[in-house]
Amino acid sequence: MTNEASQVSSVPVQARSIKDFLNPSVRDIKPSGIRRFFDLVSTRKDVITLGVGEPDFVTPWHVREAAVMSLERGKTQYTSNAGMPELRDAIGAYLDNSFQVEYNPADEILVTVGGSEAIDLALRALISPGDEILIPEPCYISYSPITVLSGGVSVGIETFAKDQFKLTAESLKKSITPKSKVLILCYPSNPTGGIMTYEDWLPIAKVVEENDLIVISDEIYAELTYGSKHVSFAAIPGMKDRTILVSGFAKAFAMTGWRIGYACGHPEIISAMLKIHQYTVMCAPVMSQYAALEALTNGLEEKDKMIESYNQRRRLVVQGFREIGLQCHEPQGAFYAFPSIASTGLTSEQFAQRLLEEANVAAVPGDVFGLGGEGHLRCSYATSVASLTEAIERIGNFVHKLK
Ligand code: PMP
């Protein structure tokens, strides 16, 4: 190296701040509103929390034991990228028996790290820059950020308590543009508890067909319905090849920490998703796959008992809110109530903050779930009857003090 060259290379470049190294779309995404709120909760004592979207049951013992046994048998290696064939077979049989949707385990089912990874893979596999992704809201908090991270544009479609938070064909039609590509559905809904019946789906399917959309249907709460049985969007005539069905074991089988879910769909889409999956996570954790296999093989009765228990608590909570004088539509699925707090004159954020500070009850302000969430509070009833009863009493006293 000449003297001149070494001098040039030693000229200090203007150092970038750490922020400048970050991908702008990651940098600009807001952290989850739920997390922010629960950081606050963790600083307080004796809080009753209706905030967390997870079962209060521990995974049944025989399911845990299956994972322990798999380890004792030395099953500690990678599995096939798509998931163990016997687990894919069991998922296929389960979906067929429960929801009358048939998938070929060989190339239409992919086992993922929770339903979360399945949503991420589906969006990454489908989105090209600028594509518009239609998202009925209020909705699960991850759809819009993952859309943006994948280069898409998220287009919220507001749903309303007066319609029991169902998506209507009219509002879907109004949101469609030539750039629309994907519709994300989540029924039974987190956070509203809304469901869609066969008759509700038919006009939606027509709009999907007429506008050549593809659908990601997040059916992670499919088993948790009270009254009418879940109808998979993939089971609507003509919709199977247009739908990526996303689900998992977290909610119905009380397995949140195991991180195990799945996606089902057209072989070409599943193989595109598999490419991303194999380069990022290789396969879902092997012991979790053994546990999931046991849950599907021998765990269906326990699942039904847990659902009955959620149903009792659902009635208690809805009646409780109505007695306090808060309007509460009847949630028919998942394990959330979504009462309106608009009559108190407070915003969701103000209500949730003051409820925490003055009554020691944590619930999630509805505005974090997007359009239509303001004026509501998401309360998970997947907690003990004693805690729910005490929480309702505290909320009642708090609301009466506001008057
Ligand atoms: N979809 C919805 C609607 C959810 O509520 C959740 C979890 N809260 C997920 C997906 C993610 O589930 P998993 O734990 O299987 O990743």
Side-chain angles (χ1 to χ4, degrees), residues 199-247:
E199 287 70 30
D200 295 329
W201 278 140
L202 289 179
I204 303 294
K206 191 160 174 269
V207 179
V208 164
E209 181 111 59
E210 284 168 0
N211 292 278
D212 200 22
L213 299 175
I214 197 134
V215 169
I216 298 174
S217 186
D218 179 350
E219 302 186 14
I220 198 149
Y221 294 99
E223 292 84 354
L224 277 61
T225 58
Y226 314 102
S228 57
K229 195 171 168 303
H230 174 69
V231 181
S232 173
F233 189 72
I236 303 302
M239 289 300 110
K240 188 185 154 201
D241 281 349
R242 288 190 177 273
T243 303
I244 303 170
L245 188 157
V246 166
S247 193

Side-chain angles (χ1 to χ4, degrees), residues 2 86-87 118 125 156 169-170 224 249 255 293 336 365 375:
T2 64
E86 56 272 49
L87 176 57
E170 294 68 43
L224 277 61
F249 294 82
M255 293 178 67
L293 179 58
Y336 308 101

Side-chain angles (χ1 to χ4, degrees), residues 53 114-116 119 140 143 186 190 218 220-221 250-251 259-260 336:
S116 305
I119 297 165
Y140 179 48
Y143 304 144
C186 176
N190 172 8
D218 179 350
I220 198 149
Y221 294 99
K251 313 292 174 173
R259 313 309 306 125
I260 184 101
Y336 308 101

